Amino acid sequence: MDFTIKTMADYAAEGKSPEVLFWVGCAGSFDDRAKKITKAFCKILNKIGVEFAVLGQEESCTGDPAKRAGNEFVFQMMAMTNIEVLNAYEVKKIVTACPHCFNTLKNEYPSLGGNYEVIHHTQFLKELMNEGRLKIEGGSFKGKKITFHDPCYLGRANDEYEAPRMLLEKLDAELVEMKRCKTNGLCCGAGGAQMFKEPEKGKKDINVERTEEALSFEPKIIATGCPFCNTMLTDGVKHFNKNHEVEVKDIVELLAEAEDL
Amino acid sequence: MQYLDNVIFLILLIAGFGLFGKSLLKIYRNIRLGREINRSDRKSERWETMARVAMGQSRMSARPVAGILHLFVYVGFVIINIELIEIIVDGIFGTHRFLATIFGHTFYNFFTATLEVLALLVIVGVVLFFIRRNFYGVKRLTMKELFGWPKNDANWILIIEFALMMAFFTMNSSDFILQQRGVLAAHGSFPISEMTLVPFLEIFSFDNIFLEIVERGAWWFHFIGILFFMNYLYYSKHLHIILAFPSTWYANLDLYGKFNNLESVTKEIKLMMDPNADPYAAPAEGAEEAPSKFGAEDVFDLNQVQLLNAYSCTECGRCTSVCPANVTGKKLSPRAILMKTRDRLEEVGRNIDKNGKFEDDGKKLLNDYISKEELWACTTCNACTQACPILLDPLSIIFEMRRFLVMEQSAAPQELNLMMTNVENNAAPWQYNQADRLNWAKD
Ligand code: SF4
Ligand code: SF4
């Protein structure tokens, strides 16, 4: 990165607090592919001058995969640890590029004592755009075919279908919808802790089914809004040997590209 | 002897409703075997949801063909109920077309004419449904889990409804001819019958006596048919015509993504994390006792709304047809989760009927009915809950059973155990050091 990422601890040491806390998440911190999404998002925030911080070493897994695997103990242990840290810094607003973190922080932390305004990065960028702080010119994407895969935990789980689409429209690309989109969206196959295990026996893997549908429109880009969907669909595209023709990119990466960041 | 009809009618009526009441009580008793759950909040939202989804069928429009046909048949069901009032009064007091005296001429004509049109729509609906279900090959209606009773059940209902509506038209037609001949007082208007069955019956120039017998016969058939239909419900997926109402009222109103947090666990963890807590302290007097187990192994561990859901499921398979696990050929079918839950609950119910209370039968919902393989195939995507026309929640059952597998039996797949250990020890599902969390910023 060609600028410094500040942590909550840094801000606290300066006696200040940032506009927003960026919750990076485990995938965004450790997974090589997802790290690119993390960086792209930081670049955009940096460019428009949003003061943001991360927790860095003080961040733990939100507990989502443990919870959805059925392990309420591990989930709540993680949640309580995180809530202690967040409350100590008096965090008000959290943005995250992972719908699983987003969902858990937003919906499952409140009853454990963690009350924050939690938003997904696409929602945050939409907000910034409406405020006139973020301007997108979609030059290089003009006329390119893009299809968007709704992440279950952003769309169906939290009713957010419009924010990602609004951003994509700004790219001036040709947006095509898959038959299974929005409330009818098909899972990428990673949710509910499936990411961490082999799928059960069946006719095919879920990510293959989903990628097949996306590829049937012959898009240039499959846009995602979740690091897990991104991995699943990237694998799917490889499965069909299309990885030289079709890119799988997070919306924030596309925006960063449009801005030449 | 002249009151024989009325007496028989009354006996049948009481027996029919009595039996039906008994079935409903049994269902109620079985549902109460589940854990209590508080869903009495947000009352106005609940009434609104029920009106919109159960009465207004708002979710049926997602599949327009089935939606319209279902609307026809649904409206038909409502007719049966309005008409039943007239049948009961006529039956008990020996009157004929009692509502005519209340409604007045014009309105009664309008009323009977409307019923005829609606009855015709029901016939159209059930015939097309029958064809669609049996010859057209809609995948979700021809899946393996429906073989046997579920499939026959669906067909029986269509046949019964067809027969009931035909009896209705036969009754009206013979009544109309008798009215024309001055045998019966002129009440009502029967546009559909006049166009269809009446000309047909006229060909044979039946005499009055015969027509009276036909009219009475159809009337009795209609009445007994309704009683039969009502009592058949208990054995059928068609319970949904009643239970869709409570099911939508008690539906989960939260966002789909919000899963419940187990309070018993919260207490324990708070205790663990509180440096001042005395780990050996006895629980405070009057403190709520922790549930005997985490998650669900059998129907007793599910909550009452989940059990109500199992009885309400109409086996339409909309959930299964959108389930990513199912469409890619895995064993999981959310519809089957509810069907199996109901099967087990009924088995438990029969056990209680026989023994007075539940005697261990060595079986459980887990493994004997629902396999681990099904449970682990779920991505918790909520497509099933989104698709269900009556807001049932198969996912919540899957989730509770996973909790049991993990927290009571430590029986998660090996890779998931590894993931959970990582989360616990490294605060990430992968084996990376928490201290390296900000390394990406340094590249
Ligand atoms: S939540 Fe589970 S059962 Fe329901 S549709 Fe998704 S994968 Fe299937
Ligand atoms: S759960 Fe709902 S969608 Fe699934 S079969 Fe039953 S009624 Fe249909």
Side-chain angles (χ1 to χ4, degrees):
Chain A
M1 305 288 299
D2 41 19
F3 55 92
T4 15
I5 303 290
K6 284 164 74 174
T7 61
M8 283 308 280
D10 297 337
Y11 272 95
E14 292 170 22
K16 292 200 292 186
S17 56
E19 182 180 340
V20 66
L21 166 69
F22 172 29
W23 185 276
V24 183
C26 300
S29 304
F30 294 120
D31 181 84
D32 285 335
R33 177 67 189 85
K35 279 196 247 176
K36 293 188 185 149
I37 303 172
T38 307
K39 286 184 202 167
F41 185 50
C42 290
K43 282 180 190 163
I44 292 183
L45 294 183
N46 182 56
K47 168 156 185 222
I48 43 183
V50 175
E51 294 211 317
F52 71 97
V54 298
L55 280 176
Q57 300 183 0
E58 290 183 278
E59 188 187 281
S60 302
C61 174
T62 57
D64 162 83
K67 174 154 193 129
R68 266 145 258 269
N71 199 330
E72 187 76 6
F73 274 105
V74 172
F75 162 69
Q76 290 202 14
M77 242 147 62
M78 288 299 120
M80 304 269 201
T81 316
N82 284 322
I83 289 169
E84 247 176 31
V85 175
L86 291 167
N87 289 352
Y89 284 120
E90 293 177 17
V91 169
K92 301 254 156 22
K93 185 166 178 177
I94 304 177
V95 61
T96 175
C98 174
H100 295 271
C101 297
F102 162 69
N103 177 70
T104 308
L105 292 167
K106 173 169 171 274
N107 295 321
E108 288 161 9
Y109 276 31
S111 79
L112 300 173
N115 291 290
Y116 323 101
E117 182 195 347
V118 187
I119 46 181
H120 186 242
H121 68 322
T122 56
Q123 296 173 321
F124 189 52
L125 293 169
K126 182 181 128 183
E127 223 172 74
L128 294 172
M129 205 166 69
N130 290 342
E131 288 166 7
R133 292 166 75 183
L134 170 67
K135 294 182 192 61
I136 307 167
E137 309 283 344
S140 60
F141 291 97
K142 204 166 186 120
K144 276 194 187 168
K145 221 190 244 182
I146 300 185
T147 189
F148 175 63
H149 162 80
D150 284 287
C152 301
Y153 273 88
L154 180 64
R156 216 180 284 108
N158 285 289
D159 263 333
E160 180 58 84
Y161 304 102
E162 285 324 304
R165 286 179 171 77
M166 215 178 127
L167 296 171
L168 287 172
E169 274 159 21
K170 292 283 169 194
L171 294 176
D172 258 348
E174 185 196 343
L175 199 57
V176 284
E177 293 287 1
M178 289 185 257
K179 186 156 168 266
R180 287 178 281 193
C181 68
K182 302 187 184 168
T183 49
N184 295 321
L186 183 78
C187 180
C188 69
Q194 297 292 338
M195 181 74 183
F196 304 99
K197 65 185 250 304
E198 282 301 309
E200 273 57 37
K201 274 209 319 294
K203 289 197 303 270
K204 57 168 110 156
D205 289 347
I206 295 172
N207 66 330
V208 170
E209 166 92 8
R210 185 50 165 169
T211 314
E212 203 172 0
E213 181 171 4
L215 290 177
S216 70
F217 294 96
E218 302 188 334
K220 275 260 140 258
I221 296 160
I222 301 175
T224 60
C226 168
F228 294 101
C229 299
N230 196 302
T231 305
M232 293 309 253
L233 294 172
T234 305
D235 288 351
V237 169
K238 277 190 202 133
H239 175 93
F240 290 105
N241 274 322
K242 293 273 186 197
N243 37 331
H244 299 297
E245 297 143 55
V246 184
E247 291 183 296
V248 180
K249 289 243 159 118
D250 194 277
I251 291 176
V252 87
E253 293 181 288
L254 299 175
L255 297 182
E257 238 174 83
E259 297 286 304
D260 216 6
L261 293 174
Chain B
M1 280 304 275
Q2 72 175 329
Y3 293 117
L4 187 62
D5 273 10
N6 310 46
V7 171
I8 294 177
F9 181 89
L10 210 61
I11 292 173
L12 282 176
L13 187 73
I14 291 169
F17 273 89
L19 266 177
F20 181 56
K22 217 175 130 199
S23 307
L24 285 184
L25 279 179
K26 202 171 271 183
I27 290 169
Y28 181 68
R29 178 201 71 189
N30 290 354
I31 287 175
R32 300 219 332 164
L33 294 173
R35 287 182 184 168
E36 277 179 34
I37 171 170
N38 188 358
R39 287 269 171 91
S40 52
D41 58 332
R42 301 193 244 174
K43 289 222 168 60
S44 56
E45 207 179 323
R46 295 192 176 281
W47 286 113
E48 192 266 328
T49 309
M50 185 180 88
R52 185 167 39 83
V53 181
M55 257 152 77
Q57 308 215 338
S58 58
R59 284 212 169 186
M60 290 299 286
S61 56
R63 306 204 185 207
V65 180
I68 296 263
L69 293 182
H70 186 267
L71 196 68
F72 292 171
V73 180
Y74 164 63
V75 170
F77 171 70
V78 179
I79 312 178
I80 289 182
N81 281 314
I82 305 176
E83 230 218 316
L84 195 59
I85 302 169
E86 186 170 52
I87 290 186
I88 290 175
V89 176
D90 283 352
I92 296 176
F93 300 105
T95 47
H96 186 64
R97 296 200 176 265
F98 145 82
L99 285 179
T101 53
I102 295 193
F103 284 177
H105 189 68
T106 321
F107 188 64
Y108 190 72
N109 280 358
F110 172 74
F111 171 69
T112 45
T114 313
L115 290 195
E116 284 231 319
V117 174
L118 294 176
L120 181 69
L121 291 180
V122 174
I123 291 194
V124 171
V126 295
V127 168
L128 292 179
F129 268 145
F130 191 86
I131 294 173
R132 191 163 169 272
R133 189 169 273 274
N134 291 286
F135 306 109
Y136 186 67
V138 179
K139 185 166 174 264
R140 67 187 160 92
L141 302 178
T142 48
M143 288 170 63
K144 209 170 71 210
E145 64 209 40
L146 294 184
F147 284 4
W149 173 244
K151 187 177 163 78
N152 296 338
D153 173 28
N155 281 335
W156 274 121
I157 278 287
L158 294 174
I159 293 168
I160 295 171
E161 289 189 347
F162 181 81
L164 282 176
M165 292 303 130
M166 286 312 285
F168 176 71
F169 281 120
T170 311
M171 176 181 92
N172 282 351
S173 301
S174 42
D175 195 349
F176 177 77
I177 300 174
L178 290 168
Q179 290 185 15
Q180 294 240 302
R181 294 185 189 170
V183 182
L184 288 173
H187 290 311
S189 152
F190 313 101
I192 309 291
S193 296
E194 270 181 66
M195 275 189 301
T196 55
L197 273 184
V198 169
F200 177 76
L201 290 174
E202 299 273 36
I203 298 174
F204 300 98
S205 14
F206 292 123
D207 60 17
N208 290 348
I209 308 272
F210 181 79
L211 285 175
E212 275 176 59
I213 293 173
V214 170
E215 196 273 336
R216 282 296 87 189
W219 187 89
W220 278 101
F221 182 89
H222 194 114
F223 167 64
I224 293 172
I226 291 173
L227 293 184
F228 176 79
F229 180 89
M230 204 163 75
N231 281 290
Y232 175 86
L233 289 182
Y234 175 60
Y235 304 94
S236 164
K237 73 187 188 105
H238 287 78
L239 261 181
H240 77 270
I241 64 179
I242 299 168
L243 298 187
F245 291 89
S247 260
T248 47
W249 200 89
Y250 286 112
N252 175 21
L253 297 178
D254 288 334
L255 285 168
Y256 289 138
K258 180 176 177 181
F259 289 26
N260 67 332
N261 293 330
L262 287 181
E263 270 171 54
S264 48
V265 173
T266 314
K267 272 183 213 139
E268 251 177 81
I269 295 194
K270 282 211 169 118
L271 211 63
M272 251 167 57
M273 291 184 47
D274 180 2
N276 304 320
D278 171 6
Y280 302 106
E285 197 68 36
E288 225 181 288
E289 237 183 87
S292 48
K293 56 176 123 152
F294 297 112
E297 179 186 27
D298 208 346
V299 285
F300 308 99
D301 314 320
L302 291 171
N303 70 47
Q304 296 173 353
V305 173
Q306 290 166 325
L307 298 184
L308 170 65
N309 278 190
Y311 273 118
S312 315
C313 176
T314 164
E315 299 170 16
C316 67
R318 284 158 198 251
C319 51
T320 296
S321 72
V322 295
C323 171
N326 192 277
V327 296
T328 54
K330 277 101 184 149
K331 274 211 185 114
L332 172 63
S333 157
R335 163 172 59 189
I337 296 288
L338 283 179
M339 290 170 74
K340 291 170 184 180
T341 304
R342 177 175 174 173
D343 288 347
R344 171 62 182 158
L345 185 55
E346 289 190 339
E347 182 180 58
V348 166
R350 284 192 298 275
N351 182 316
I352 295 176
D353 289 340
K354 201 171 120 217
N355 303 314
K357 64 177 193 10
F358 182 71
E359 302 270 345
D360 189 11
D361 58 357
K363 285 203 223 164
K364 292 275 157 44
L365 181 62
L366 180 67
N367 295 331
D368 293 308
Y369 284 81
I370 296 174
S371 67
K372 289 184 200 157
E373 187 179 341
E374 290 163 76
L375 296 173
W376 288 119
C378 173
T379 71
T380 69
C381 70
N382 267 302
C384 50
T385 52
Q386 174 91 55
C388 181
I390 50 173
L391 310 181
L392 308 185
D393 189 358
L395 168 55
S396 70
I397 297 180
I398 297 171
F399 184 55
E400 282 305 329
M401 295 185 77
R402 273 194 187 179
R403 276 180 168 162
F404 180 84
L405 284 173
V406 171
M407 290 196 281
E408 294 283 344
Q409 298 196 317
S410 310
Q414 200 39 51
E415 305 124 292
L416 287 188
N417 282 333
L418 193 66
M419 177 274 286
M420 292 184 289
T421 316
N422 283 331
V423 172
E424 211 174 341
N425 298 337
N426 310 326
W430 299 284
Q431 206 173 14
Y432 291 108
N433 199 322
Q434 190 167 9
D436 294 336
R437 266 201 180 248
L438 202 49
N439 285 3
W440 59 268
K442 295 175 199 133
D443 303 346

